[in-house]
Amino acid sequence: MDLKLPIIIVDELSDGEVRAHGVLDLASGDILDVVHEDWDRVTRGLPAEREDYEFSSGILRKGDKEVEFRVEANPVTGQYSVTPSELLELKGRAAKLFTAPPGRGGR
């Protein structure tokens, strides 16, 4: 099964955050087609290369509901991914998210 989902990536820095959009491949855990918002990766490098980098997370959304998960950022290769154990947990959470009936206001 070839299932790829759009996600938001948040790189947390000690003085703020850098957001990006990408596509999560649920089969491999690879995150593809990453495009940072207001961040020139060519001149500034990957946010994970900075001294003030703390961690990265991903957000998968459906309507007003979302699932947050840990993302690994490899400063050497420039790749983002989800670990196999995190991916397994995320698949269960994503299945609940996408099969839940539409919300009626609040969370």
Side-chain angles (χ1 to χ4, degrees), residues 4-48:
K4 296 181 177 146
L5 300 172
I7 63 167
I8 297 168
I9 302 164
V10 181
D11 291 307
E12 295 286 341
L13 308 175
S14 32
D15 63 347
E17 65 183 28
V18 177
R19 289 186 168 251
H21 292 89
V23 178
L24 172 62
D25 182 336
L26 280 177
S28 67
D30 293 335
I31 299 174
L32 314 165
D33 304 327
V34 176
V35 177
H36 288 88
E37 300 172 6
D38 302 321
W39 185 271
D40 185 354
R41 206 166 147 177
V42 173
T43 59
R44 299 177 84 180
L46 192 68

Side-chain angles (χ1 to χ4, degrees), residues 22-94:
V23 178
L24 172 62
D25 182 336
L26 280 177
S28 67
D30 293 335
I31 299 174
L32 314 165
D33 304 327
V34 176
V35 177
H36 288 88
E37 300 172 6
D38 302 321
W39 185 271
D40 185 354
R41 206 166 147 177
V42 173
T43 59
R44 299 177 84 180
L46 192 68
E49 295 174 309
R50 294 175 48 110
E51 279 190 35
D52 63 342
Y53 171 78
E54 295 180 0
F55 64 92
S56 297
S57 60
I59 301 169
L60 179 61
R61 285 196 176 131
K62 180 187 177 200
D64 65 343
K65 297 182 182 189
E66 61 184 38
V67 172
E68 190 169 339
F69 54 95
R70 181 158 181 82
V71 169
E72 299 296 319
N74 186 327
V76 175
T77 64
Q79 297 292 317
Y80 288 89
S81 62
V82 178
T83 65
S85 60
E86 184 76 15
L87 186 60
L88 183 60
E89 181 181 332
L90 176 60
K91 286 178 182 179
R93 293 169 63 203

